[in-house]
Amino acid sequence: MRAAAGTEGTWRPGLDTPVRWAGVVTGLAANVLVTFSPDPDVDLLYGFPVFGLCVMAGLFAADLIARPQPGWLRAADMTPRRIRDYVPRSLTIALAVQAVALLVLLAVAVTMASADSEGRPGRALSVTCPAGTYLLSPWPGSVHAWPVLGGLALGTVACALLLRRITARSGDDDQRRIKARAAVGAWGVLVSAPLFAVSATMGLGVLSVPCQGATNGGAISALAVAVLISATTAGHCLCLLLLPQAYVKAPS
């Protein structure tokens, strides 16, 4: 909340952008250098939250470094700062919807998953057709759900705390919007990228079912829409976290 009278200063970006980019580079390096699972598909799902959390850590470090310079005393109205005034509202709502869709798809996938040909649970889809029973893999089962759910939970909490800190800090409103948009972009990658991976894997699995029907056709269409929307959103969020200042004047 803005005080009725207090010290107002000009924002000193300093190392703000380099530190934010250092978080991006750290996230990429962590995924290249560290193997989180021996299975490449599971390792990829661990990589998304690692990248997003590293970017948020970079934003937090940048916020610690870029302190406002001392300025002059001025009077100001008692106007509460709200997080929703600084984040891109339409994108945030779209990401919340995609997060719910991701949870629903994971619940469906885990319920339908079965052991693969090597006996490993939660890695295949068992389908019974008139010609026989087929085992289709890969399929996003329980082994894939844990990194997605854990990353989504940690990322959501980290993003909420980061946005609260950014909103409460003194300084320039444009700088708050820049940092808030970068934080939402990092959370967006953490949401939309796993949604793309899960929906694409499920779509390929359903598409491989030998005995196609109307239900399968509807599922394939819905999953194709999820793939398209999540891919587009992930690209937009990546641009947002890399160059948030380009979106400050853009409509939410």
Side-chain angles (χ1 to χ4, degrees), residues 49 223-224 242:
L223 290 169
L242 293 177

Side-chain angles (χ1 to χ4, degrees), residues 38-184:
D39 299 316
D41 51 347
V42 180
D43 186 60
L44 177 65
L45 293 175
Y46 274 108
F48 295 138
V50 168
F51 175 78
L53 291 171
C54 285
V55 173
M56 291 183 198
L59 289 169
F60 181 80
D63 189 65
L64 289 176
I65 293 173
R67 299 180 180 275
Q69 291 177 329
W72 57 89
L73 290 175
R74 57 175 290 187
D77 295 331
M78 291 292 290
T79 305
R81 294 197 191 111
R82 300 171 300 183
I83 292 176
R84 65 173 182 243
D85 294 331
Y86 297 98
V87 299
R89 297 182 188 179
S90 57
L91 177 61
T92 304
I93 293 172
L95 289 173
V97 172
Q98 290 186 37
V100 173
L102 176 59
L103 294 176
V104 171
L105 285 180
L106 278 177
V108 173
V110 170
T111 302
M112 298 176 63
S114 59
D116 62 7
S117 57
E118 299 179 9
R120 298 178 299 178
R123 296 173 184 267
L125 175 65
S126 179
V127 179
T128 301
C129 294
T133 300
Y134 299 88
L135 205 57
L136 308 174
S137 63
W139 182 260
S142 56
V143 69
H144 303 88
W146 289 117
V148 175
L149 295 176
L152 184 60
L154 289 175
T156 301
V157 172
C159 185
L161 293 175
L162 182 58
L163 288 173
R164 182 180 179 182
R165 176 183 175 84
I166 291 169
T167 304
R169 286 291 301 273
S170 61
D172 181 73
D173 272 351
D174 280 348
Q175 288 296 329
R176 290 192 196 95
R177 290 189 178 92
I178 287 173
K179 292 185 176 182
R181 278 161 168 72
V184 171

Side-chain angles (χ1 to χ4, degrees), residues 186-214:
W187 183 66
V189 171
L190 192 147
V191 171
S192 54
L195 177 59
F196 171 81
V198 171
S199 56
T201 304
M202 291 181 68
L204 291 174
V206 175
L207 192 62
S208 302
V209 174
C211 47
Q212 294 290 340

